[in-house]
Amino acid sequence: MSVKSESKTGLSVGKPYVTHRLLPRLGAEFFGTFMVVLVGVGYGVLANPSESPLLRAAAFGFALVGAMFVFAPISGGHLNPAVTLGVGVSGRMPLKDVPAYIVAQVAGGVAGVAVLFFAFMSHPQLQDVSGIIRNSGNGFDQNSPAQFPLTSVLLIEVVATAILVAVYLGIGQRKRVGNALPLGVGLSYLALLAFLLPLDQGGLNPARSTAVALFGLDWAVAQLWLFWVAPLVGALIAGLLFRALDLSAAVARNQRSAERDEDDADAEEATVGAAGRATGGAAVGAEGKAAGAEVIAEDITVGRRGDTKVVTEEVVTDEVVAEEGAAAKKSKPSKTSGERDEVQDFFDKK
């Protein structure tokens, strides 16, 4: 039965999130952890005890770099239950996928040590194979290479795992991860292991600790609990820290978005107001100009009417004067006819 979950897993090489189905992701975690444990534990078992811890740490670190380059694009390349818990707590992968990831990682680690165990059993000169593997197991007190007590190992494992998970989360939160994730996490793992190997044989990875303890038996199983508790506590610290940072970043982004929206609204309101004032002023100016033009036109019309009326009155007055003059001329007796009558009367009397 195939699993159809396609939820985001958190981080990957080249992409901020991975969307493969759950089953391929679990397969990638199994084979990636198998590779890291096989190479790292195998080199530690076969290495000369007098060799520098840096060489053993380098085997683990470079194996992790190679495994992450191959499997990170599929599953995120956790390859460590502590990293998976930190990614889940930070909110960058569904918490419901965390148990399945951890089971796949532990199974991969156990498979890696099982290959070593059966390979060593076929060697005729190796009698105590469990004892050989147990020498690479994680321990404290008398089982610590430097006799460090429980409290010291617990504190150092918590802090070191928190640093490792923080490196993974810090690099993986970028939009373009590229080669930084496998290189950054792998080299950080190498440096931390070089520091921890003299203290407790280098924990940091519960899958690795469990695989060695199951085949090493004896005290390795009895002290295994610390190498689960300490890395998971460190992962919780780093995961919660980055969750708080992500939440604060989201709040800051929302606040900036709200401020931008408010500024845009103010700018839009100012633009609308300016446009309204400009439109209103233009309209008032246009109305004023139109009213002024109408008044001027009316004045011109009235003036023309006044001029016409004056001209008309003048014409009427001239006509009246002309008529009165004509009437006066008609009513005034003609001087020539009057004189002619007097001369006629003078001669008639004679």
Side-chain angles (χ1 to χ4, degrees):
M1 181 177 178
S2 62
V3 182
K4 296 183 179 179
S5 173
E6 294 184 353
S7 54
K8 294 178 180 178
T9 62
L11 308 166
S12 71
V13 178
K15 297 180 181 179
Y17 293 101
V18 184
T19 57
H20 289 278
R21 294 177 181 271
L22 181 59
L23 194 57
R25 287 187 275 137
L26 296 181
E29 289 295 309
F30 174 88
F31 286 109
T33 309
F34 171 85
M35 175 179 171
V36 173
V37 173
L38 177 69
V39 174
V41 175
Y43 182 86
V45 169
L46 299 175
N48 190 331
S50 62
E51 285 185 0
S52 170
L54 183 61
L55 296 177
R56 296 172 60 192
F60 272 106
F62 289 127
L64 181 59
V65 170
M68 289 188 68
F69 267 117
V70 175
F71 298 108
I74 301 172
S75 65
H78 302 173
L79 313 182
N80 185 333
V83 173
T84 296
L85 180 62
V87 174
V89 171
S90 70
R92 300 183 187 181
M93 74 173 288
L95 285 173
K96 65 182 179 63
D97 291 346
V98 170
Y101 263 56
I102 293 176
V103 170
Q105 292 156 357
V106 172
V110 170
V113 177
V115 170
L116 294 175
F117 182 83
F118 291 110
F120 294 160
M121 282 185 64
S122 63
H123 196 288
Q125 296 181 356
L126 296 178
Q127 301 298 324
D128 186 11
V129 177
S130 294
I132 295 174
I133 293 177
R134 187 167 55 245
N135 290 334
S136 296
N138 303 121
F140 53 88
D141 290 335
Q142 72 275 12
N143 298 313
S144 165
Q147 303 294 308
F148 274 87
L150 182 153
T151 53
S152 299
V153 173
L154 178 65
L155 176 61
I156 293 174
E157 282 285 334
V158 168
V159 174
T161 309
I163 293 173
L164 180 65
V165 175
V167 170
Y168 184 97
L169 294 174
I171 297 175
Q173 71 181 353
R174 302 177 182 177
K175 292 183 177 180
R176 294 182 177 273
V177 177
N179 298 331
L181 187 63
L183 291 176
V185 175
L187 293 178
S188 298
Y189 189 53
L190 186 159
L192 291 169
L193 276 182
F195 166 62
L196 289 174
L197 281 171
L199 277 69
D200 58 7
Q201 294 286 11
L204 297 175
N205 189 338
R208 180 259 189 198
S209 301
T210 301
V212 173
L214 290 179
F215 286 92
L217 302 174
D218 198 13
W219 59 263
V221 176
Q223 296 186 352
L224 177 61
W225 65 270
L226 185 144
F227 299 96
W228 272 92
V229 172
L232 295 183
V233 171
L236 282 173
I237 294 172
L240 292 174
L241 174 62
F242 272 83
R243 187 179 186 89
L245 292 175
D246 289 345
L247 290 175
S248 63
V251 170
R253 285 195 300 270
N254 292 336
Q255 185 175 1
R256 288 195 296 270
S257 178
E259 290 176 354
R260 284 196 299 269
D261 293 341
E262 186 176 354
D263 293 340
D264 292 342
D266 293 341
E268 184 177 358
E269 184 178 353
T271 303
V272 171
R277 288 193 295 270
T279 304
V284 170
E287 291 178 358
K289 291 180 180 179
E294 291 179 358
V295 170
I296 294 172
E298 185 176 356
D299 290 342
I300 293 173
T301 304
V302 171
R304 290 176 178 175
R305 290 176 180 175
D307 294 341
T308 304
K309 185 176 180 181
V310 171
V311 172
T312 304
E313 288 179 354
E314 291 178 355
V315 171
V316 171
T317 302
D318 293 339
E319 290 179 353
V320 170
V321 171
E323 290 178 356
E324 289 178 354
K329 288 179 180 180
K330 289 179 180 180
S331 60
K332 186 178 180 180
S334 176
K335 182 178 179 181
T336 306
S337 60
E339 291 176 354
R340 191 178 295 130
D341 290 340
E342 289 178 0
V343 173
Q344 187 67 34
D345 289 339
F346 177 76
F347 283 108
D348 287 341
K349 288 179 179 180
K350 290 185 176 184

